[in-house]
Amino acid sequence: MQEDETTVAVAVPGSIHAGVNTPDFLSGRGLAIWNAKLILQRLVLLVCGAALTALVTVQVFTRYVVGISLFGIEELASFVAVYLYFIGASHGAWERGHISASLVELFLPEGKARTAMAIFSSLVTVVLSGWMTVWAFQYLAFTIRRGTMSLETGIPLAWVHGVMPLGLTLMTLYFVVELLDRWNLLRGKTSR
């Protein structure tokens, strides 16, 4: 697929990316920014995945082969994991790959009733995600006020906790896009 300014972020029908959360109304600079944000998320996931793998490998090697344990490596690994989890969760929300325990698809036939139930589910998800985002920002503000530092490495925990409101903000944004997409589907105004 050739990339240009009008191309929507990776969306291959029938693949895991078939339900991407890229708004239909985006084009030009807005779409370029949206796609750049997704590329940055993927880059962070790649770097964090590689770093976490390297940290765990080094810790296992030094502990079980060399017989020593490196100071602070487990703490660093847990910090990298926090970034991996929150950015990964936001990317999963963009892909609409989040886990759902809905039985609606089993009982309601395709149509407006199922779409209305999906809208209600999306609305609840947006509200809960927004609520958690507010809590994450409050927690970050608390961490900054207290000036908390990690015990072993001395890293300010604001650097670690800062990814929580970022990831939750992105998740909320993607859930809002999904809600609007479903609302437009109910009204018959969607191209997907």
Side-chain angles (χ1 to χ4, degrees):
M1 180 159 117
Q2 188 176 22
E3 289 289 325
D4 61 17
E5 289 186 345
T6 59
T7 304
V8 175
V10 181
V12 180
S15 76
I16 190 169
H17 299 288
V20 293
N21 258 343
T22 302
D24 294 333
F25 61 84
L26 283 180
S27 64
R29 185 179 298 280
L31 183 59
I33 291 169
W34 185 272
N35 287 336
K37 171 188 55 62
L38 290 169
I39 290 168
L40 183 60
Q41 281 179 264
R42 291 172 183 159
L43 180 64
V44 169
L45 289 173
L46 180 68
V47 169
C48 286
L52 188 59
T53 302
L55 288 168
V56 170
T57 301
V58 167
Q59 180 66 356
V60 167
F61 178 77
T62 57
R63 180 176 288 170
Y64 297 109
V65 175
V66 181
I68 61 170
S69 183
L70 296 178
F71 184 72
I73 199 163
E74 291 165 351
E75 190 174 70
L76 284 174
S78 67
F79 294 163
V80 171
V82 169
Y83 273 78
L84 187 67
Y85 298 153
F86 277 91
I87 298 300
S90 68
H91 195 274
W94 170 77
E95 286 182 335
R96 296 187 185 177
H98 43 280
I99 297 171
S100 173
S102 177
L103 297 175
V104 173
E105 288 82 20
L106 297 175
F107 297 110
L108 287 177
E110 286 284 334
K112 290 193 182 251
R114 185 190 271 187
T115 303
M117 190 57 90
I119 289 171
F120 176 74
S121 172
S122 290
L123 180 63
V124 169
T125 303
V126 166
V127 169
L128 290 175
S129 183
W131 188 8
M132 293 301 295
T133 303
V134 170
W135 279 356
F137 274 107
Q138 291 171 346
Y139 183 58
L140 176 60
F142 173 77
T143 302
I144 292 170
R145 271 194 316 273
R146 297 283 309 244
T148 7
M149 308 284 272
S150 69
L151 292 174
E152 293 180 14
T153 58
I155 295 172
L157 288 180
W159 285 101
V160 178
H161 297 160
V163 75
M164 294 175 187
L166 174 66
L168 285 163
T169 298
L170 288 170
M171 288 173 65
T172 303
L173 172 68
Y174 298 144
F175 291 144
V176 167
V177 169
E178 183 176 3
L179 172 65
L180 294 174
D181 217 19
R182 288 177 171 176
W183 177 255
N184 286 334
L185 182 65
L186 182 69
R187 293 176 36 205
K189 296 184 176 185
T190 186
S191 64
R192 288 185 206 182

